[in-house]
Amino acid sequence: MSKETKYTEDNIRSLDWKEHIRMRPGMYIGKLGDGSSADDGIYILLKEVLDNSIDEYVMGAGKTIEISIQGDKVIVRDYGRGIPLGKVVDVVSKMNTGGKYDSRAFKKSVGLNGVGTKAVNALSKFFRVESTRDGKSASAEFEKGNLTNQETLEETSRRKGTKVSFVPDSTIFKNYKYRTEYVAKMLKNYVYLNPGLTIIFNGEKYFSENGLKDLLSDTINEEDRLYPIVHLLGNDIEIAITHSKTQYSEEYHSFVNGQHTTQGGTHQAAFRESVVKTIREFYGKNYEASDIRKSIVSAISIKVMEPVFESQTKTKLGSTEMGGGLPTVRTYINDFVKTKLDNFLHKNSDTAEALQRKILQAERERKDLSGIRKLARERAKKASLHNKKLRDCRVHLTDSKKDRNLESTLFITEGDSASGSITKSRDVNTQAVFSLRGKPLNSYNMSKKIVYENEEFNLLQAALNIEESLEDLRYNNIVIATDADVDGMHIRLLLITFFLQFFPEVIKEGHLYILQTPLFRVRNKKETIYCYSEQERKDAIAKLSGKPEITRFKGLGEISPDEFVHFIGDDIRLDPVMLDKEKSIEELLSFYMGKNTPSRQEFIIENLKVELDAVEE
């Protein structure tokens, strides 16, 4: 019989604010990560600081924000009103303290819980805040949330505003690195949502005159737009809409009070519904909702009084009320779209005709595919039941909700050995495995029909749940895990082609990654070092000295499950797949997957030389 565990007053302890944040950082900033994903913690830290500066601009104070990221140090400087000088320490170190609790000062802000900046403070090994107003300044410095230095009121000639500097704690954010592409995307969204605001990041200027219209202009090339972007503005709402000539699925960019709601919410659901309802009434036809929304590329931004989000990271709106005496979110958006979009279509017959042709085309394609899709769904369901391709994770097996878990990951692997190793070493709660059989088909220039006829593509689409919209994507991270040899590289390229051809928003929204796995294992009797490059191998040999044992991994199947657990756990290394903004998707696919042109041959030869030179060194 086991000994009874004592439960007394000694077992009860209270954590102060910084201890709680550091012990449970995920409650405050979502997942941690290393910066390879746009929703990793280091970007949330930046966003939490930046949100305060944005709120200053929204309240009419300060038109410019300056941001610097050099190495691991981040500096954000705004020219707003500045924190009241006697409260500089409290605002960044006392929970539930801030001006946003007073609706007179901040009417429609994002950060209503008074936690954001405190979380940045607690999770940084260095944090400094400086406020200037009324010709005086005050500052405070912290280390992991502990006050280390405080300068009281000083006379100054500096412009009013707030300056925050911080260095994320590397014991919490391991091996992290800021990627300028993710920071730039975040900043672009801020200026789209705040026309007239200037953000300067490491010397580069970001500015927008036309709001969400500029967002769509940067998202979809002019030659791929079915009709000119429809841009509709209201008091607390802004919408931009077009349809793609080539894209198959729906693409939405939604925002609430300046926050990018990557998982949608009540406002995005209402918008999708209202577009269908308005277009049906305009044409007097009961078109299928999927035909109307097929290939739509759109953006919506609303402002809500005291919004309720479904997590601290504010990626999904839960509010059903607009606040301030306005109707519900659903009614408000429906009424706005019905009036504004209907008026626009009546006044712009060319757009109305182009849109109707697109709907009718989608209807024909759907009917042509109906039989194939039915059979494909039955095959996918049967395959899933027999667990032939997908080994799911518990977050989906046990949770009936469609909400995407930020930690959920699907590894796409090739070969029984690699699939077996990852399956045995994965975290069964959040990591799933999809096994390929051989090389996928080159889907370049093929129609959507191939997705249903090809077993691999059909089952992958079903596993991801992305047939109609990215909104129901089941896994936040899709990771291609193949060997780092020629065959493995080819499989990567074929899978990326599949996503670019049929589901480009998966890449645009930052969900697709390549798994880095070690090329070498260098070890002696005391220590083992895994190396991801030739340089790391040389450094490991120098560190271990003597004659360490060196193993060259030829493929994922050679790595045992006991070792693999290191490479897909806390120290996982991921390379995000990103689009070249200077080239269209069609240009990229044509160059890499089209006919073998002289320019592509030259590109391959030149890059092969670079790889060979690196290995020889």
Side-chain angles (χ1 to χ4, degrees):
M1 185 174 178
S2 61
K3 187 177 180 181
E4 184 178 344
T5 303
K6 291 183 179 180
Y7 180 53
T8 68
E9 289 86 350
D10 294 335
N11 298 110
I12 308 296
R13 67 176 290 221
S14 298
L15 299 176
D16 73 4
W17 67 276
K18 55 185 176 294
E19 287 180 310
H20 192 269
I21 292 172
R22 291 180 64 81
M23 184 176 288
R24 299 284 186 269
M27 291 178 60
Y28 299 91
I29 61 167
K31 67 177 185 176
L32 299 179
D34 62 357
S36 58
S37 175
D39 53 15
D40 282 350
I42 59 171
Y43 303 109
I44 304 301
L45 298 184
L46 170 60
K47 187 190 76 63
E48 292 290 359
V49 173
L50 199 48
D51 278 344
N52 293 327
S53 298
I54 296 296
D55 285 334
E56 285 295 304
Y57 171 78
V58 171
M59 297 304 296
K63 294 183 178 181
T64 301
I65 300 171
E66 297 168 352
I67 301 168
S68 168
I69 300 180
Q70 302 298 330
D72 57 2
K73 187 173 185 179
V74 180
I75 302 173
V76 179
R77 168 68 155 109
D78 68 45
Y79 297 91
R81 293 167 291 185
I83 301 168
L85 300 182
K87 294 290 185 179
V88 167
V89 173
D90 290 355
V91 163
V92 299
S93 64
K94 285 190 177 180
M95 296 298 276
N96 305 318
T97 301
K100 297 169 191 176
Y101 290 104
D102 186 344
S103 61
R104 296 168 300 175
F106 294 87
K107 292 182 179 179
K108 292 173 181 174
S109 72
V110 171
L112 286 172
N113 50 20
V115 172
T117 313
K118 288 82 169 175
V120 182
N121 187 356
L123 299 174
S124 296
K125 65 181 180 183
F126 169 81
F127 181 92
R128 175 181 169 85
V129 58
E130 181 180 347
S131 176
T132 304
R133 56 189 288 165
D134 304 322
K136 296 180 180 179
S137 70
S139 65
E141 292 183 3
F142 299 81
E143 182 179 328
K144 300 177 182 178
N146 295 300
L147 182 65
T148 57
N149 187 43
Q150 182 177 4
E151 296 180 5
T152 52
L153 301 183
E154 293 182 350
E155 299 288 336
T156 181
S157 59
R158 287 192 297 272
R159 290 175 60 186
K160 67 179 180 179
T162 303
K163 181 179 180 180
V164 173
S165 309
F166 66 91
V167 177
D169 186 350
S170 57
T171 64
I172 293 175
F173 306 98
K174 297 178 180 178
N175 302 314
Y176 73 87
K177 179 178 71 174
Y178 279 99
R179 295 179 184 264
T180 56
E181 297 92 340
Y182 288 144
V183 176
K185 183 176 181 179
M186 180 197 302
L187 302 185
K188 284 181 180 179
N189 283 339
Y190 276 120
V191 297
Y192 294 142
L193 296 165
N194 298 279
L197 170 67
T198 297
I199 297 180
I200 300 172
F201 170 46
N202 285 353
E204 185 171 350
K205 180 179 177 181
Y206 296 86
F207 182 83
S208 170
E209 290 184 358
N210 304 303
L212 295 186
K213 183 179 180 181
D214 289 340
L215 187 157
L216 254 58
S217 294
D218 288 346
T219 299
I220 178 171
N221 292 322
E222 187 172 1
E223 59 269 21
D224 190 33
R225 296 174 207 154
L226 183 67
Y227 51 85
I229 296 168
V230 179
H231 190 209
L232 308 174
L233 289 165
N235 289 330
D236 289 306
I237 186 169
E238 180 183 1
I239 287 171
I241 306 171
T242 189
H243 277 72
S244 166
K245 294 177 183 176
T246 58
Q247 186 168 310
Y248 289 94
S249 50
E250 306 168 31
E251 182 175 347
Y252 299 95
H253 305 264
S254 64
F255 306 87
V256 176
N257 295 10
Q259 167 62 35
H260 189 191
T261 42
T262 53
Q263 295 195 56
T266 53
H267 60 317
Q268 186 167 308
F271 174 58
R272 294 178 73 220
E273 173 190 296
S274 62
V275 167
V276 170
K277 185 177 180 181
T278 299
I279 288 176
R280 281 174 175 168
E281 291 178 358
F282 176 80
Y283 294 112
K285 301 281 187 180
N286 192 31
Y287 292 126
E288 283 283 332
S290 61
D291 296 334
I292 293 172
R293 294 194 299 244
K294 180 182 178 182
S295 308
I296 192 172
V297 182
S298 57
I300 176 171
S301 171
I302 64 169
K303 293 180 180 178
V304 177
M305 291 285 283
E306 299 186 2
V308 176
F309 295 96
E310 296 193 2
S311 70
Q312 162 62 16
T313 51
K314 311 179 186 84
T315 55
K316 187 171 185 179
L317 180 68
S319 297
T320 58
E321 304 296 325
M322 292 289 291
L326 294 173
T328 64
V329 169
R330 182 172 177 268
T331 301
Y332 186 79
I333 292 174
N334 264 293
D335 290 348
F336 176 82
V337 173
K338 180 180 179 181
T339 301
K340 294 285 188 175
L341 182 57
D342 183 80
N343 287 345
F344 183 92
L345 292 174
H346 273 102
K347 294 177 182 177
N348 295 270
S349 57
D350 289 347
T351 294
E353 290 170 7
L355 177 55
Q356 188 171 37
R357 285 195 299 270
K358 182 73 173 179
I359 295 170
L360 294 173
Q361 178 188 344
E363 185 179 64
R364 288 191 299 271
E365 290 175 356
R366 176 176 53 80
K367 289 178 179 178
D368 290 342
L369 284 173
S370 59
I372 296 173
R373 290 173 77 168
K374 184 178 180 181
L375 288 173
R377 286 188 183 118
E378 289 174 356
R379 287 203 313 270
K381 185 177 181 181
K382 185 177 180 181
S384 179
L385 286 173
H386 292 286
N387 202 24
K388 290 182 179 178
K389 306 289 291 183
L390 175 67
R391 294 170 179 85
D392 214 343
C393 50
R394 287 175 181 163
V395 71
H396 293 311
L397 291 172
T398 60
D399 190 352
S400 61
K401 293 182 180 179
K402 288 185 177 180
D403 297 345
R404 186 165 66 248
N405 186 302
L406 290 178
E407 297 289 345
S408 60
T409 297
L410 178 69
F411 291 101
I412 303 176
T413 66
E414 188 274 326
D416 293 337
S417 297
S419 296
S421 290
I422 293 182
T423 300
K424 290 176 183 176
S425 57
R426 67 181 173 137
D427 177 351
V428 295
N429 292 309
T430 59
Q431 294 178 331
V433 181
F434 183 92
S435 303
L436 293 171
R437 187 181 67 237
K439 288 184 180 179
L441 188 69
N442 181 356
S443 58
Y444 171 58
N445 255 351
M446 292 188 177
S447 70
K448 189 68 175 286
K449 184 179 179 182
I450 197 66
V451 176
Y452 301 100
E453 292 181 331
N454 181 274
E455 182 182 21
E456 300 287 311
F457 290 158
N458 176 45
L459 295 178
L460 180 56
Q461 173 186 256
L464 295 171
N465 196 35
I466 52 176
E467 181 180 353
E468 300 294 346
S469 171
L470 192 66
E471 191 174 44
D472 295 327
L473 176 67
R474 295 182 75 240
Y475 306 93
N476 198 55
N477 310 307
I478 305 166
V479 179
I480 300 173
T482 61
D483 294 341
D485 58 12
V486 173
D487 285 341
M489 298 288 185
H490 192 197
I491 293 170
R492 290 180 192 178
L493 194 55
L494 291 169
L495 286 170
I496 292 171
T497 300
F498 163 75
F499 285 108
L500 283 174
Q501 183 76 23
F502 302 114
F503 306 103
E505 66 277 16
V506 166
I507 297 177
K508 289 180 182 178
E509 292 300 313
H511 295 290
L512 189 63
Y513 302 87
I514 304 295
L515 175 67
Q516 285 191 42
T517 50
L519 298 174
F520 305 97
R521 180 182 60 213
V522 181
R523 65 182 177 184
N524 57 22
K525 292 181 179 180
K526 295 182 178 179
E527 187 176 359
T528 299
I529 300 175
Y530 296 98
C531 310
Y532 291 77
S533 67
E534 186 69 21
Q535 185 59 51
E536 287 188 18
R537 182 184 73 89
K538 292 177 181 178
D539 293 342
I541 293 172
K543 180 181 179 182
L544 297 183
S545 67
K547 292 184 178 180
E549 175 193 318
I550 303 171
T551 302
R552 171 70 158 92
F553 294 119
K554 296 179 181 178
L556 301 185
E558 292 188 353
I559 305 175
S560 70
D562 289 340
E563 288 184 297
F564 224 117
V565 71
H566 300 297
F567 316 133
I568 60 173
D570 292 339
D571 296 328
I572 190 171
R573 295 194 192 186
L574 298 175
D575 283 330
V577 178
M578 296 181 176
L579 287 175
D580 183 349
K581 294 294 184 182
E582 302 302 317
K583 294 182 180 179
S584 68
I585 290 175
E586 176 57 33
E587 285 178 305
L588 289 170
L589 288 175
S590 177
F591 180 79
Y592 288 104
M593 305 306 292
K595 293 181 179 179
N596 197 11
T597 61
S599 60
R600 186 168 71 177
Q601 291 175 9
E602 183 180 343
F603 172 83
I604 293 171
I605 291 169
E606 286 301 315
N607 281 272
L608 184 60
K609 285 179 181 177
V610 172
E611 291 293 325
L612 289 173
D613 289 343
V615 171
E616 288 173 3
E617 288 177 3

